[in-house]
Amino acid sequence: MRLPLEKELRAERKRLLRTLDALPDDVFDEGPTLCTAWSPRDVLGHLIGVDHPVTYYRPWLRLAAVNDRQVRRVRHLPRHRLMAEAREWAERPAWSSRLATLISLGDLSVHHQDIVRGVGLDRDMPPSVPSFILWDGAMLSSYSNLRIFRYRVIPTDGYPPLGVPGFLRPAEVLGTREALGMWLAGRDAVAEELRFTPAAPAPGSSRETDRSADR
């Protein structure tokens, strides 16, 4: 039985493997990513580990410790063995990832961009992938950096605004869905691609009065 978005999950996993297949060994093992402590190999290890929650997740471990367990397992595997495992992972997603496809697809898409941007590549994304990145960034931001609660997030490539309602006249950040999602997810390297505007003064406030007098 195929679940909603499962086709997209498999397709994005296979796109990630094509990106990784194109990397030289030294870049695969040691190259930079926007997950600053991780190489492309490490990111792949984390993503494969997501399919095995019983193996890695413990209620007493923080998420960072869980991620570290996933990464350490694959760090010394030969590349051909790791990629063989990854092809199985791409073809046969675990039930846990299939049941939470929106979350696993967003996490996958963000990490794919971590690699692409980190090593200086570019890729053509299907129209839906930037939206998955935006949604995942908004979710991550809601319990990490809280940017989604401090800004009105305005995509410039055809998607409704997120974050603080406009009537509150908050600070705004504008950019593509992909760049906004990566920034919400804590990837500050993309901030230079975004446009930030300050919060507007409240009606009748001294700041608004001062600005009116200057016009």
Side-chain angles (χ1 to χ4, degrees):
M1 181 180 67
R2 289 294 176 90
L3 299 174
L5 297 179
E6 186 177 338
K7 181 179 179 181
E8 287 83 351
L9 176 64
R10 294 172 189 265
E12 180 65 7
R13 287 185 173 189
K14 291 175 182 178
R15 286 191 289 268
L16 170 65
L17 297 191
R18 288 196 292 272
T19 296
L20 292 170
D21 279 335
L23 299 180
D25 286 341
D26 60 330
V27 177
F28 180 83
D29 289 333
E30 303 291 343
T33 73
L34 296 195
C35 281
T36 52
W38 287 354
S39 68
R41 165 191 284 276
D42 296 334
V43 172
L44 178 59
H46 159 68
L47 290 169
I48 292 174
V50 169
D51 266 17
H52 302 282
V54 175
T55 302
Y56 294 105
Y57 288 90
R58 301 290 184 272
W60 60 86
L61 288 179
R62 297 180 61 183
L63 183 59
V66 172
N67 291 340
D68 185 58
R69 283 162 57 91
Q70 295 166 341
V71 168
R72 281 190 285 111
R73 185 189 72 84
V74 304
R75 189 159 279 164
H76 301 295
L77 277 182
R79 180 175 180 174
H80 72 276
R81 283 183 53 193
L82 177 55
M83 291 303 293
E85 186 175 334
R87 296 189 203 289
E88 179 75 12
W89 162 83
E91 288 287 349
R92 296 177 177 83
W95 269 101
S96 54
S97 292
R98 293 171 64 195
L99 289 171
T101 308
L102 187 58
I103 296 173
S104 54
L105 182 51
D107 183 57
L108 168 65
S109 301
V110 167
H111 282 308
H112 193 172
Q113 287 307 103
D114 284 334
I115 295 170
V116 167
R117 283 176 168 273
V119 301
L121 298 177
D122 196 7
R123 69 166 176 139
D124 293 325
M125 286 183 285
S128 60
V129 170
S131 294
F132 299 140
I133 293 172
L134 179 62
W135 298 342
D136 194 65
M139 181 188 67
L140 289 172
S141 179
S142 70
Y143 61 81
S144 57
N145 55 44
L146 307 183
R147 290 170 176 171
I148 194 68
F149 300 126
R150 300 200 304 267
Y151 288 86
R152 183 166 174 79
V153 179
I154 304 176
T156 56
D157 54 351
Y159 196 85
L162 303 176
V164 183
F167 71 85
L168 295 176
R169 305 169 74 143
E172 297 178 340
V173 55
L174 297 86
T176 65
R177 287 168 291 158
E178 184 265 350
L180 289 169
M182 298 298 287
W183 177 77
L184 287 169
R187 277 56 170 184
D188 291 341
V190 308
E192 62 185 21
E193 301 174 24
L194 306 175
R195 181 161 62 89
F196 295 85
T197 63
S205 69
S206 58
R207 282 179 60 203
E208 183 178 59
T209 303
D210 292 345
R211 289 175 59 182
S212 299
D214 290 338
R215 288 200 287 267

